[in-house]
Amino acid sequence: MTDLPYTTLPVPNDWDRAGLPGWAYSSPAQFALERERLFLTHWQVAGHVADIPAAGSWLSFDMLGERAVIMRGQDGVVRAFHNLCRHRGARVVDGDKGQCKGAIVCPFHGWVYNLDGTLRGAARPSSFGDMDRSRFGLKPVELEIFHGFLFLRFSPGPQPSVAELLAPFAADFAAYGTDEALPVAVPNWSIDLPVNWKSVRDVDNEGYHVALAHPGLQELYGRTYRDLHLSDGLSFSVGWFGDAPGRGWSVRNYVKLAPDRPDLPPHLRKAWTYYGLFPNTVFAFTPESIQFYQDIPLTPGLTRLTGRLYRRPGEDRASRIARYLAYRIDRATSAEDQQLSIWSDESMKSAAFEGFHLSDLEYGLRRHHDGLRALMPVLRLSEAPPEAELARRNDELICQSESRG
């Protein structure tokens, strides 16, 4: 077995194998709590610097009522702003990505902003009296760049800087050359699934189901697959391929064409690797491709599965075909996981559901749940509090925990 530069946290001999209570997957009040305490206060990956290569190029990112635009300025600096005009709150850009020619022009009343977010001028400025333009620039959003990837968060939160948080992954990201990645022809994908976002995470956070539910992955690397549990909400999973030729068309041809990559450290050669970041993001790397995917909650019962794909610079024909084959394997796997997520989410509404009983191989799922409980201790309650009292009950439990030291 290939040595890894990570040490997994051990699975306890005696641990609580229960998962979150079923009510937590449908409660609107719990969903509102997750918006405030989790998603707006934790780092979200929005793209890569290669997605905005020139001055004026931009990406948008929406999360539960908050809207951001990430833009490269005339000075080459990448900045993030609230996608919200300071006049009436309209979106200053519309769509997933685009290009501004020298300035940002609000489509509602024509306020004009420089590419660094400062207000250049309002339409018919005399109608605003003595307006101080310096007070009406676009509001900034916290942004950090890690090995080319763009991270933002809308409110301060418990996580440290991205550089500190993802420091355990820095050597691997550098080895893959993620800072030099280039977007593929159609880089982004998304699909809306009628489930709570936690049902998606519950499926993705463990590899116990791979052998039966994912025949393509099992054929490719199932014999060698490992999940490692790291601190600070991080996880690492890996499967090595090439010890068997493969039977299915995609796997068989992928194994033949995947680049050898002797430049990679031993644990990354002939490997598919997955780097998890609490609460909802995964980076997935193969010898020929780079991607991230995440679960964006829309409502308590609707989640957007989305991600972006990248390639290595100087890609040759064999690597391009291998990347296509990896994409085929991934899409089949995603479809399988989507069905599992639907079935799991449905079970939460059944009177017969008595909760999870988790295997040691599903300890990653338990660690994710523990991360949620630490932020929102109301999730420790087996019975749902009244919706109108849930937030107050959560605050009481936090106070009780703090008073106990």
Side-chain angles (χ1 to χ4, degrees):
M1 185 71 71
T2 303
D3 291 333
L4 293 170
Y6 305 105
T7 300
T8 188
L9 298 173
V11 178
N13 292 326
D14 184 18
W15 58 284
D16 184 353
R17 298 177 183 272
L20 295 176
W23 64 262
Y25 292 75
S26 58
S27 163
Q30 174 59 34
F31 186 79
L33 196 64
E34 290 166 356
R35 177 188 185 274
E36 298 298 326
R37 303 292 176 90
L38 185 68
F39 287 104
L40 299 185
T41 60
H42 285 64
W43 291 109
Q44 299 290 329
V45 61
H48 190 279
V49 292
D51 292 313
I52 47 174
S57 52
W58 56 266
L59 284 174
S60 66
F61 183 84
D62 291 5
M63 173 63 77
L64 293 171
E66 297 294 351
R67 315 182 312 233
V69 55
I70 304 171
M71 181 170 293
R72 190 179 294 274
Q74 292 284 8
D75 54 3
V77 175
V78 177
R79 301 175 178 88
F81 310 102
H82 286 272
N83 187 4
L84 183 145
C85 182
R86 297 297 305 281
H87 174 216
R88 294 272 296 279
R91 290 178 182 265
V92 293
V93 298
D94 185 33
D96 294 327
K97 63 180 299 185
Q99 178 76 37
C100 293
K101 296 181 179 179
I104 308 165
V105 181
C106 176
F108 195 178
H109 295 92
W111 280 36
V112 181
Y113 298 88
N114 297 310
L115 300 184
D116 63 1
T118 56
L119 178 64
R120 182 181 299 182
R124 302 182 68 176
S126 61
S127 67
F128 290 94
D130 187 17
M131 187 177 75
D132 181 0
R133 287 182 300 172
S134 66
R135 295 179 49 237
F136 290 91
L138 298 177
K139 290 187 174 182
V141 174
E142 189 176 11
L143 173 76
E144 291 192 23
I145 301 173
F146 181 80
H147 288 267
F149 290 105
L150 304 165
F151 290 82
L152 57 77
R153 63 180 170 186
F154 290 98
S155 301
Q159 292 175 317
S161 70
V162 177
E164 179 181 346
L165 180 64
L166 297 187
F169 297 155
D172 281 9
F173 278 50
Y176 279 116
T178 62
D179 56 342
E180 298 178 351
L182 298 173
V184 302
V186 183
N188 58 310
W189 61 271
S190 69
I191 183 171
D192 291 353
L193 205 63
V195 301
N196 184 268
W197 73 275
K198 294 186 291 295
S199 291
V200 181
R201 283 292 91 222
D202 288 350
V203 171
D204 199 53
N205 276 327
E206 51 88 3
Y208 181 38
H209 68 284
V210 168
L212 187 62
H214 297 317
L217 293 187
Q218 179 65 17
E219 186 180 342
L220 179 66
Y221 61 53
R223 302 162 301 283
T224 63
Y225 181 81
R226 298 172 64 184
D227 286 326
L228 279 70
H229 317 298
L230 311 180
S231 59
D232 298 319
L234 304 183
S235 65
F236 173 77
S237 301
V238 59
W240 292 279
F241 65 89
D243 61 327
R247 296 182 302 276
W249 184 84
S250 294
V251 173
R252 183 175 69 251
N253 285 286
Y254 175 80
V255 170
K256 290 178 183 177
L257 292 171
D260 199 27
R261 297 297 303 274
D263 58 305
L264 291 175
H267 70 286
L268 303 182
R269 296 176 198 158
K270 297 289 185 181
W272 283 27
T273 53
Y274 306 86
Y275 303 82
L277 170 61
F278 182 84
N280 64 323
T281 299
V282 177
F283 295 89
F285 303 153
T286 68
E288 70 291 324
S289 64
I290 292 167
Q291 67 169 309
F292 69 82
Y293 60 90
Q294 60 201 152
D295 322 311
I296 305 295
L298 302 177
T299 72
L302 187 65
T303 301
R304 178 160 296 157
L305 282 60
T306 186
R308 299 185 76 88
L309 295 90
Y310 304 89
R311 62 176 178 85
R312 297 178 64 211
E315 182 180 61
D316 60 21
R317 182 174 182 273
S319 293
R320 184 168 64 254
I321 297 173
R323 178 166 55 79
Y324 164 73
L325 294 167
Y327 177 80
R328 282 176 56 94
I329 298 168
D330 257 346
R331 291 305 91 202
T333 302
S334 179
E336 292 154 1
D337 275 343
Q338 289 168 34
Q339 184 59 70
L340 297 174
S341 298
I342 291 171
W343 287 338
S344 181
D345 197 75
E346 288 173 345
S347 71
M348 305 298 171
K349 304 176 181 68
S350 171
F353 180 73
E354 295 183 350
F356 294 159
H357 186 71
L358 301 174
S359 158
D360 287 353
L361 298 174
E362 297 169 296
Y363 189 60
L365 191 159
R366 172 70 196 199
R367 283 188 54 77
H368 187 261
H369 288 187
D370 285 345
L372 297 175
R373 292 185 184 100
L375 291 167
M376 297 164 288
V378 71
L379 291 172
R380 299 190 180 111
L381 303 179
S382 58
E383 298 296 327
E387 284 287 291
E389 299 178 13
L390 188 145
R392 179 183 59 80
R393 183 72 178 115
N394 187 72
D395 289 341
E396 290 175 351
L397 292 170
I398 290 175
C399 291
Q400 291 174 13
S401 177
E402 291 175 346
S403 65
R404 289 194 298 265

PDB file of all heavy atoms in Angstrom, residues 180-192:
ATOM      1  N   GLU A 180      -1.916  26.604 -12.122  1.00  0.00           N
ATOM      2  CA  GLU A 180      -1.776  26.765 -13.569  1.00  0.00           C
ATOM      3  C   GLU A 180      -2.919  26.126 -14.345  1.00  0.00           C
ATOM      4  O   GLU A 180      -2.876  26.073 -15.580  1.00  0.00           O
ATOM      5  CB  GLU A 180      -0.447  26.167 -14.027  1.00  0.00           C
ATOM      6  CG  GLU A 180       0.778  26.850 -13.411  1.00  0.00           C
ATOM      7  CD  GLU A 180       2.077  26.199 -13.847  1.00  0.00           C
ATOM      8  OE1 GLU A 180       2.027  25.113 -14.478  1.00  0.00           O
ATOM      9  OE2 GLU A 180       3.143  26.764 -13.547  1.00  0.00           O
ATOM     10  N   ALA A 181      -3.936  25.628 -13.648  1.00  0.00           N
ATOM     11  CA  ALA A 181      -5.052  24.956 -14.314  1.00  0.00           C
ATOM     12  C   ALA A 181      -5.781  25.912 -15.254  1.00  0.00           C
ATOM     13  O   ALA A 181      -5.828  27.126 -15.032  1.00  0.00           O
ATOM     14  CB  ALA A 181      -6.020  24.398 -13.278  1.00  0.00           C
ATOM     15  N   LEU A 182      -6.368  25.342 -16.304  1.00  0.00           N
ATOM     16  CA  LEU A 182      -7.133  26.112 -17.286  1.00  0.00           C
ATOM     17  C   LEU A 182      -8.544  25.544 -17.382  1.00  0.00           C
ATOM     18  O   LEU A 182      -8.731  24.323 -17.336  1.00  0.00           O
ATOM     19  CB  LEU A 182      -6.457  26.050 -18.657  1.00  0.00           C
ATOM     20  CG  LEU A 182      -5.049  26.634 -18.738  1.00  0.00           C
ATOM     21  CD1 LEU A 182      -4.446  26.338 -20.111  1.00  0.00           C
ATOM     22  CD2 LEU A 182      -5.068  28.131 -18.474  1.00  0.00           C
ATOM     23  N   PRO A 183      -9.552  26.395 -17.534  1.00  0.00           N
ATOM     24  CA  PRO A 183     -10.914  25.871 -17.655  1.00  0.00           C
ATOM     25  C   PRO A 183     -11.097  25.086 -18.947  1.00  0.00           C
ATOM     26  O   PRO A 183     -10.516  25.425 -19.981  1.00  0.00           O
ATOM     27  CB  PRO A 183     -11.785  27.135 -17.637  1.00  0.00           C
ATOM     28  CG  PRO A 183     -10.869  28.251 -18.035  1.00  0.00           C
ATOM     29  CD  PRO A 183      -9.505  27.872 -17.573  1.00  0.00           C
ATOM     30  N   VAL A 184     -11.902  24.049 -18.877  1.00  0.00           N
ATOM     31  CA  VAL A 184     -12.234  23.294 -20.083  1.00  0.00           C
ATOM     32  C   VAL A 184     -13.248  24.103 -20.887  1.00  0.00           C
ATOM     33  O   VAL A 184     -13.698  25.168 -20.471  1.00  0.00           O
ATOM     34  CB  VAL A 184     -12.771  21.893 -19.731  1.00  0.00           C
ATOM     35  CG1 VAL A 184     -11.742  21.123 -18.906  1.00  0.00           C
ATOM     36  CG2 VAL A 184     -14.095  21.985 -18.983  1.00  0.00           C
ATOM     37  N   ALA A 185     -13.617  23.579 -22.061  1.00  0.00           N
ATOM     38  CA  ALA A 185     -14.484  24.332 -22.973  1.00  0.00           C
ATOM     39  C   ALA A 185     -15.813  24.702 -22.313  1.00  0.00           C
ATOM     40  O   ALA A 185     -16.317  25.818 -22.484  1.00  0.00           O
ATOM     41  CB  ALA A 185     -14.717  23.522 -24.244  1.00  0.00           C
ATOM     42  N   VAL A 186     -16.406  23.777 -21.581  1.00  0.00           N
ATOM     43  CA  VAL A 186     -17.640  24.055 -20.824  1.00  0.00           C
ATOM     44  C   VAL A 186     -17.328  23.717 -19.369  1.00  0.00           C
ATOM     45  O   VAL A 186     -17.547  22.593 -18.915  1.00  0.00           O
ATOM     46  CB  VAL A 186     -18.828  23.222 -21.339  1.00  0.00           C
ATOM     47  CG1 VAL A 186     -20.107  23.586 -20.578  1.00  0.00           C
ATOM     48  CG2 VAL A 186     -19.032  23.436 -22.839  1.00  0.00           C
ATOM     49  N   PRO A 187     -16.809  24.678 -18.612  1.00  0.00           N
ATOM     50  CA  PRO A 187     -16.243  24.346 -17.300  1.00  0.00           C
ATOM     51  C   PRO A 187     -17.250  24.071 -16.198  1.00  0.00           C
ATOM     52  O   PRO A 187     -16.966  23.290 -15.291  1.00  0.00           O
ATOM     53  CB  PRO A 187     -15.408  25.590 -16.960  1.00  0.00           C
ATOM     54  CG  PRO A 187     -16.061  26.697 -17.706  1.00  0.00           C
ATOM     55  CD  PRO A 187     -16.582  26.084 -18.977  1.00  0.00           C
ATOM     56  N   ASN A 188     -18.416  24.712 -16.234  1.00  0.00           N
ATOM     57  CA  ASN A 188     -19.326  24.585 -15.094  1.00  0.00           C
ATOM     58  C   ASN A 188     -20.498  23.675 -15.422  1.00  0.00           C
ATOM     59  O   ASN A 188     -20.942  23.570 -16.565  1.00  0.00           O
ATOM     60  CB  ASN A 188     -19.828  25.952 -14.648  1.00  0.00           C
ATOM     61  CG  ASN A 188     -20.534  26.712 -15.744  1.00  0.00           C
ATOM     62  OD1 ASN A 188     -20.021  26.835 -16.851  1.00  0.00           O
ATOM     63  ND2 ASN A 188     -21.723  27.230 -15.444  1.00  0.00           N
ATOM     64  N   TRP A 189     -20.984  23.007 -14.405  1.00  0.00           N
ATOM     65  CA  TRP A 189     -22.156  22.138 -14.541  1.00  0.00           C
ATOM     66  C   TRP A 189     -23.006  22.311 -13.281  1.00  0.00           C
ATOM     67  O   TRP A 189     -22.514  22.715 -12.225  1.00  0.00           O
ATOM     68  CB  TRP A 189     -21.761  20.671 -14.691  1.00  0.00           C
ATOM     69  CG  TRP A 189     -20.994  20.117 -13.524  1.00  0.00           C
ATOM     70  CD1 TRP A 189     -19.632  20.128 -13.344  1.00  0.00           C
ATOM     71  CD2 TRP A 189     -21.546  19.497 -12.348  1.00  0.00           C
ATOM     72  NE1 TRP A 189     -19.305  19.567 -12.140  1.00  0.00           N
ATOM     73  CE2 TRP A 189     -20.449  19.158 -11.505  1.00  0.00           C
ATOM     74  CE3 TRP A 189     -22.837  19.187 -11.935  1.00  0.00           C
ATOM     75  CZ2 TRP A 189     -20.626  18.528 -10.268  1.00  0.00           C
ATOM     76  CZ3 TRP A 189     -23.018  18.561 -10.697  1.00  0.00           C
ATOM     77  CH2 TRP A 189     -21.914  18.230  -9.889  1.00  0.00           C
ATOM     78  N   SER A 190     -24.291  22.024 -13.373  1.00  0.00           N
ATOM     79  CA  SER A 190     -25.148  22.072 -12.200  1.00  0.00           C
ATOM     80  C   SER A 190     -26.416  21.278 -12.468  1.00  0.00           C
ATOM     81  O   SER A 190     -26.849  21.121 -13.616  1.00  0.00           O
ATOM     82  CB  SER A 190     -25.505  23.513 -11.818  1.00  0.00           C
ATOM     83  OG  SER A 190     -26.356  24.101 -12.779  1.00  0.00           O
ATOM     84  N   ILE A 191     -26.983  20.773 -11.392  1.00  0.00           N
ATOM     85  CA  ILE A 191     -28.273  20.090 -11.452  1.00  0.00           C
ATOM     86  C   ILE A 191     -28.962  20.308 -10.115  1.00  0.00           C
ATOM     87  O   ILE A 191     -28.323  20.295  -9.061  1.00  0.00           O
ATOM     88  CB  ILE A 191     -28.117  18.579 -11.752  1.00  0.00           C
ATOM     89  CG1 ILE A 191     -29.481  17.911 -11.879  1.00  0.00           C
ATOM     90  CG2 ILE A 191     -27.270  17.890 -10.691  1.00  0.00           C
ATOM     91  CD1 ILE A 191     -29.418  16.486 -12.393  1.00  0.00           C
ATOM     92  N   ASP A 192     -30.276  20.572 -10.145  1.00  0.00           N
ATOM     93  CA  ASP A 192     -31.038  20.770  -8.924  1.00  0.00           C
ATOM     94  C   ASP A 192     -31.686  19.454  -8.517  1.00  0.00           C
ATOM     95  O   ASP A 192     -32.360  18.802  -9.330  1.00  0.00           O
ATOM     96  CB  ASP A 192     -32.106  21.840  -9.125  1.00  0.00           C
ATOM     97  CG  ASP A 192     -31.508  23.229  -9.308  1.00  0.00           C
ATOM     98  OD1 ASP A 192     -30.274  23.373  -9.144  1.00  0.00           O
ATOM     99  OD2 ASP A 192     -32.271  24.166  -9.622  1.00  0.00           O
TER     100      ASP A 192
END
